[in-house]
Amino acid sequence: MAFSRESALDVANILSESLPYIQRFAGKTLVIKYGGNAMTDEKLKAGFARDIVLMKAIGINPIVVHGGGPQIGEMLQKLNIESKFINGMRVTDSATMDVVEMVLGGQVNKDIVSMISQAGGKAIGLTGKDSHFIQAKKLFVKHQAEGMSAPEPVDIGHVGEVASIDISVLKVLENSDLIPVIAPIGVDAEGNSYNINADLVAGKVAEAVGAEKLMLLTNISGVQDKNGNVLTGLSTAQVDALIADGTIYGGMLPKISCALSAVNAGVTSAIINDGRVPHAVLLEILTDRGVGTLISNAKKDEE
């Protein structure tokens, strides 16, 4: 089907608009946390895969870190294993951890690898247990039950946080045509496996490899002010102020904390991106029009 003259000009303008961004990001590493609607809607899944393959084709090095909470919940339900949560964190005993590894490291990870391959790229699935490249430590959550005078640390099983990242595996892949797809499972010195929040893993990977950008795909339009307006660009100081005055709270806090940590550790910018928008990744990277909230270190940008 032929373009009209006007449509052809629109396409040409968009392609031309992408040139400075291609030049800026060529050779740079971008870490993308993949989750939410972008991970369940078939059209969004196909679009995401094409975006990642295109990034690699134009010389950008994408690293994908994925979640899979809903898929884990579905499998536990099928196996009649009860899901219990404390402060929003899934209590993960040994049986539950076996399911987490099966779903994240197997089903979900391999589906994403296959999806990228179908879009014409080459991907390799990893968990943090491969070469022990994600070293984990047990995460204790603070919980205050009824009648307690103060919160106490609670052991919720095989739930961890990142102790360190060994980037040697990722550096080898950076110089190949393979796209890393990482399941957020870490391992401790004794070989115990831990389920780690995917946003946290993406942020720590971005810090460790010195990524140009960290992108967290979500099911929201971005950080909003108290009137519901999306804040498109924020400095780390502005984010700190929004947390202090209660504008940013609840479920958004962990994502924001992850983004702040990455930017403060040297990642040029982090974006809370609306994964419900088709090709949200490319819109953020290759055009003037992003679909989320960009967080950067303003002082660093001014140097």
Side-chain angles (χ1 to χ4, degrees), residues 7 91 168 190:
S7 296
V91 177
S168 57
E190 287 73 43

Side-chain angles (χ1 to χ4, degrees), residues 21 25 30-35 38 44-56 58 60 62-64 213-218 271-292:
Y21 296 101
F25 291 119
L30 277 67
V31 177
I32 303 101
K33 185 269 180 162
Y34 179 49
L44 293 176
K45 286 167 63 176
F48 173 81
R50 288 178 63 86
D51 290 358
I52 297 299
V53 172
L54 177 58
M55 287 170 63
K56 190 70 172 178
I58 61 177
I60 300 172
I63 297 175
V64 177
K213 187 183 287 287
L214 166 67
M215 186 179 301
L216 305 175
L217 292 182
T218 69
I271 176 81
I272 311 294
N273 213 20
D274 191 345
R276 301 168 301 179
V277 176
H279 299 290
V281 173
L282 286 190
L283 287 171
E284 171 57 33
I285 295 170
L286 299 182
T287 76
D288 295 333
R289 297 167 292 279
V291 284

Side-chain angles (χ1 to χ4, degrees), residues 11 20 27 41-42 44 68 72 138 140 175 237 247 272 289:
V11 171
D41 181 279
E42 291 302 319
L44 293 176
I72 293 169
K138 182 186 283 287
F140 289 88
N175 298 316
T247 301
I272 311 294
R289 297 167 292 279

Side-chain angles (χ1 to χ4, degrees), residues 253-269:
L253 277 173
K255 288 186 185 298
I256 288 294
S257 297
C258 167
L260 274 178
S261 175
V263 171
N264 286 327
V267 176
T268 303
S269 63

Side-chain angles (χ1 to χ4, degrees), residues 13 29 81 87 91 94 99 140 196 204 220 245 247 300:
N13 286 332
T29 298
I81 298 175
N87 292 1
V91 177
S94 295
V99 174
F140 289 88
I196 309 176
K204 293 303 181 183
I220 58 172
D245 72 10
T247 301
K300 182 172 63 180

Side-chain angles (χ1 to χ4, degrees), residues 128-129 132-139 158-165 184-196 201:
K129 296 179 71 173
H132 285 202
F133 88 91
I134 300 178
Q135 287 288 325
K137 58 184 178 181
K138 182 186 283 287
L139 175 67
H158 293 264
V159 177
E161 55 186 324
V162 176
S164 64
I165 303 281
I185 298 169
V187 63
D188 68 12
E190 287 73 43
N192 299 306
S193 300
Y194 291 93
N195 183 19
I196 309 176
V201 170

Side-chain angles (χ1 to χ4, degrees), residues 1-293:
M1 180 174 158
F3 285 121
S4 68
R5 179 181 176 84
E6 291 75 15
S7 296
L9 285 172
D10 287 341
V11 171
N13 286 332
I14 291 170
L15 292 173
S16 178
E17 181 183 303
S18 69
L19 177 60
Y21 296 101
I22 293 173
Q23 293 170 325
R24 173 184 170 186
F25 291 119
K28 302 292 178 64
T29 298
L30 277 67
V31 177
I32 303 101
K33 185 269 180 162
Y34 179 49
N37 280 34
M39 202 171 172
T40 55
D41 181 279
E42 291 302 319
K43 288 186 177 179
L44 293 176
K45 286 167 63 176
F48 173 81
R50 288 178 63 86
D51 290 358
I52 297 299
V53 172
L54 177 58
M55 287 170 63
K56 190 70 172 178
I58 61 177
I60 300 172
N61 298 311
I63 297 175
V64 177
V65 178
H66 65 82
Q71 292 90 333
I72 293 169
E74 288 174 11
M75 183 60 71
L76 288 171
Q77 189 173 19
K78 287 179 182 177
L79 297 173
N80 293 318
I81 298 175
E82 182 183 2
S83 290
K84 182 181 178 183
F85 293 86
I86 295 178
N87 292 1
M89 306 286 288
R90 187 190 302 276
V91 177
T92 307
D93 59 14
S94 295
T96 301
M97 189 64 216
D98 288 342
V99 174
V100 169
E101 291 201 68
M102 177 177 66
V103 173
L104 289 183
Q107 173 195 334
V108 175
N109 189 271
K110 302 315 173 190
D111 283 350
I112 298 168
V113 168
S114 175
M115 193 170 68
I116 290 173
S117 297
Q118 289 175 352
K122 294 182 179 180
I124 182 168
L126 302 168
T127 77
K129 296 179 71 173
D130 293 307
S131 296
H132 285 202
F133 88 91
I134 300 178
Q135 287 288 325
K137 58 184 178 181
K138 182 186 283 287
L139 175 67
F140 289 88
V141 300
K142 288 188 175 181
H143 179 65
Q144 185 169 355
E146 187 176 349
M148 293 172 58
S149 59
E152 292 184 356
V154 178
D155 183 349
I156 55 174
H158 293 264
V159 177
E161 55 186 324
V162 176
S164 64
I165 303 281
D166 178 355
I167 65 171
S168 57
V169 172
L170 299 177
K171 282 297 181 184
V172 170
L173 295 174
E174 179 181 295
N175 298 316
S176 74
D177 59 354
L178 292 169
I179 298 165
V181 178
I182 301 170
I185 298 169
V187 63
D188 68 12
E190 287 73 43
N192 299 306
S193 300
Y194 291 93
N195 183 19
I196 309 176
N197 177 275
D199 290 327
L200 179 60
V201 170
K204 293 303 181 183
V205 168
E207 292 176 26
V209 301
E212 179 72 13
K213 187 183 287 287
L214 166 67
M215 186 179 301
L216 305 175
L217 292 182
T218 69
N219 282 347
I220 58 172
S221 53
V223 178
Q224 299 178 354
D225 64 19
K226 291 182 177 179
N227 295 318
N229 301 308
V230 176
L231 301 169
T232 55
L234 296 170
S235 68
T236 54
Q238 288 173 314
V239 172
D240 287 336
L242 290 169
I243 294 173
D245 72 10
T247 301
I248 298 174
Y249 66 96
M252 179 56 74
L253 277 173
K255 288 186 185 298
I256 288 294
S257 297
C258 167
L260 274 178
S261 175
V263 171
N264 286 327
V267 176
T268 303
S269 63
I271 176 81
I272 311 294
N273 213 20
D274 191 345
R276 301 168 301 179
V277 176
H279 299 290
V281 173
L282 286 190
L283 287 171
E284 171 57 33
I285 295 170
L286 299 182
T287 76
D288 295 333
R289 297 167 292 279
V291 284
T293 300

